[in-house]
Amino acid sequence: LALASSLGATVSVDNNISAAVCLEQPIATASLVFNPGGKVTLDGTVLCRAERSKRGMGLREILEYAPYLHRTGIQRLGLEVHLTQQVLDPDYYGMVLSLLQPVIEELERLHTPIAFCNLGGGPGLSFFPSTPHADAAEWGRRTERCASQLPYQIPIWTAADRLFTGPHCLYFSRVLCVKRAHRQFMVLDSDAAQFPRLHPKGRYHLSLLTNTERGNRQFYDVVGCHPDETGRFAEYILLPEPSEDEICIVHEAGVAPPGPGGGYYLYRQDGTLEPMRGLLETFVPVP
């Protein structure tokens, strides 16, 4: 927190403890994480059940902590929402703004102005050739239109990293073998926990580095080397017959840092783990 203060960083306030801790350092900017609770829907589709998320505070907590922080020295207060990912509907951010508008109005009534809104992530990749990715320009236009209708002109931030980083990263793994049972399984030498963040239904575009034959393709479930049922990179995907030690490429893999299953570690071929922090310190000093 001292480092965040020295950098002038924005500190996310997610509960009463983090709100109190902000007062221990000269924090200039804090952002309160709002969780609306209940089912979040868009055009009749349920996007998430917000009450199941551990992140964020309800309206009552926001209305309690925001004025308190404002009175006790925080110069700029913001609101942020983190509901879901992999959304292709460009009206999503407009819907999030509609959730934030009554919160902003209530805080204005309490003489607690909001300096910015962070709409979080949301725009996603389709993982289907027939469906385009979220269109950043169209998302921007529709979000700007919704923001212009707010009673107060507030800067809008987003965290749409998946949309911009996802298509520009490849994940390489070596084929160990093909197992033929009720279905055909292409077994890779990596584990699902090592992958940045698996799509829940194994929807990724895969290819083989050297084998690009159009004919003689078969359907495979592409799985990791550990015997767990959830570690699937793809299900029933049409690929050429792989050879042993062939390199399998997972496309559009730059969606997030390593997930909870793997942690921030480098997996070595001998099975050992090396914390990424130690590796990063060889390039950039980590305080």
Side-chain angles (χ1 to χ4, degrees):
L1 198 61
L3 176 62
S5 174
S6 68
L7 295 173
T10 298
V11 177
S12 288
V13 176
D14 190 57
N15 50 53
N16 61 329
I17 297 175
S18 56
V21 168
C22 276
L23 304 179
E24 298 177 5
Q25 299 288 339
I27 298 296
T29 305
S31 181
L32 293 96
V33 187
F34 175 58
N35 184 331
K39 292 181 180 179
V40 177
T41 62
L42 181 59
D43 292 335
T45 301
V46 177
L47 298 178
C48 69
R49 297 186 64 96
E51 78 275 4
R52 299 177 62 186
S53 173
K54 68 178 180 181
R55 193 169 186 185
M57 302 176 287
L59 178 60
R60 185 182 66 180
E61 290 80 15
I62 294 286
L63 298 182
E64 178 182 351
Y65 304 145
Y68 172 71
L69 291 170
H70 182 60
R71 290 194 305 268
T72 50
I74 302 295
Q75 299 172 19
R76 300 176 74 243
L77 281 176
L79 282 175
E80 58 184 273
V81 179
H82 304 277
L83 295 176
T84 188
Q85 296 280 358
Q86 282 305 111
V87 183
L88 300 179
D89 190 328
D91 290 321
Y92 171 74
Y93 278 151
M95 180 273 295
V96 175
L97 274 174
S98 70
L99 296 175
L100 288 176
Q101 182 172 345
V103 184
I104 296 170
E105 293 174 350
E106 280 293 307
L107 289 173
E108 287 284 346
R109 188 179 61 80
L110 296 173
H111 307 289
T112 308
I114 291 300
F116 59 88
C117 289
N118 181 354
L119 307 183
L125 307 176
S126 70
F127 298 109
F128 291 98
S130 59
T131 306
H133 299 324
D135 184 337
E138 182 62 22
W139 277 62
R141 284 190 291 269
R142 298 201 189 190
T143 305
E144 184 178 22
R145 188 185 313 144
C146 294
S148 65
Q149 297 172 4
L150 292 174
Y152 318 101
Q153 294 303 301
I154 300 174
I156 303 297
W157 300 353
T158 66
D161 53 329
R162 180 180 302 240
L163 181 62
F164 297 104
T165 62
H168 307 294
C169 180
L170 302 174
Y171 181 83
F172 294 86
S173 190
R174 195 177 299 277
V175 177
L176 287 179
C177 65
V178 173
K179 176 184 176 180
R180 306 184 197 278
H182 302 291
R183 293 166 71 134
Q184 293 194 114
F185 298 92
M186 185 188 299
V187 184
L188 305 182
D189 68 350
S190 57
D191 177 41
Q194 296 169 244
F195 194 74
R197 183 174 293 165
L198 279 176
H199 192 285
K201 296 185 179 179
R203 293 171 175 167
Y204 283 95
H205 172 58
L206 279 74
S207 66
L208 300 179
L209 183 62
T210 60
N211 191 344
T212 58
E213 294 180 4
R214 292 286 180 180
N216 196 30
R217 295 190 171 210
Q218 301 181 54
F219 287 98
Y220 297 92
D221 285 9
V222 182
V223 299
C225 57
H226 286 184
D228 59 83
E229 289 303 314
T230 58
R232 294 169 183 260
F233 294 93
E235 288 189 346
Y236 212 58
I237 184 172
L238 194 61
L239 289 171
E241 177 76 20
S243 58
E244 188 175 330
D245 289 336
E246 172 69 89
I247 299 296
C248 179
I249 307 172
V250 183
H251 298 260
E252 299 175 340
V255 295
Y264 295 90
Y265 297 96
L266 172 69
Y267 284 69
R268 298 199 175 277
Q269 288 231 332
D270 60 3
T272 59
L273 303 178
E274 183 171 342
M276 289 296 289
R277 182 185 179 91
L279 294 174
L280 289 173
E281 286 178 337
T282 64
F283 302 99
V284 180
V286 180

